[in-house]
Amino acid sequence: MNDDTGIDPGAPPSGTGCADCDASGGWWFHLRRCASCGHVGCCDSSPGQHATGHYRSTGHPLVQSFEPGEDWFWDYAAEEVRASGPALASPSSHPADQPSPGPADRVPADWARALRR
């Protein structure tokens, strides 16, 4: 771990989906990955807002998008987007064939109405 930033580039992602949604049978819109420990949580538009919950419970301030083709970071402490950051352990996103929202078998038909704005 890099003690100056709290980032651990070697920490693998906790899975291919939101760990908390998977544990509770929920669903997510987009995914974020903690740069400190690899915890994968759902974004603030998702019903569970688990990435922010992880930040609040752990104090780990940086997440990276866990969406295919995206590599930006969000800094919760500074409340700002960072265009880039360190390379994190592979994989850098959920599988490209995994739908968003997902997982497909748990997304309600009226999912768009459940998004938080």
Side-chain angles (χ1 to χ4, degrees):
M1 177 178 297
N2 180 333
D3 291 326
D4 293 338
T5 64
I7 295 172
D8 184 352
S14 60
T16 60
C18 175
D20 302 293
C21 286
D22 282 342
S24 67
W27 61 276
W28 56 82
F29 185 50
H30 290 130
L31 299 171
R32 310 293 179 239
R33 173 191 179 174
C34 177
S36 295
C37 70
H39 180 272
V40 176
C42 55
C43 71
D44 283 352
S45 294
S46 301
Q49 300 180 330
H50 291 120
T52 296
H54 178 75
Y55 162 65
R56 289 183 180 142
S57 68
T58 64
H60 297 165
L62 293 174
V63 292
Q64 185 178 38
S65 175
F66 201 57
E67 294 297 316
E70 297 182 0
D71 59 2
W72 54 267
F73 285 75
W74 174 256
D75 184 333
Y76 284 104
E79 296 185 1
E80 67 183 16
V81 172
R82 295 188 180 184
S84 64
L88 301 178
S90 293
S92 61
S93 72
H94 65 76
D97 62 352
Q98 178 179 307
S100 288
D105 62 335
R106 295 194 313 241
V107 178
D110 65 343
W111 64 267
R113 291 181 37 201
L115 292 180
R116 297 179 180 243
R117 299 182 205 288

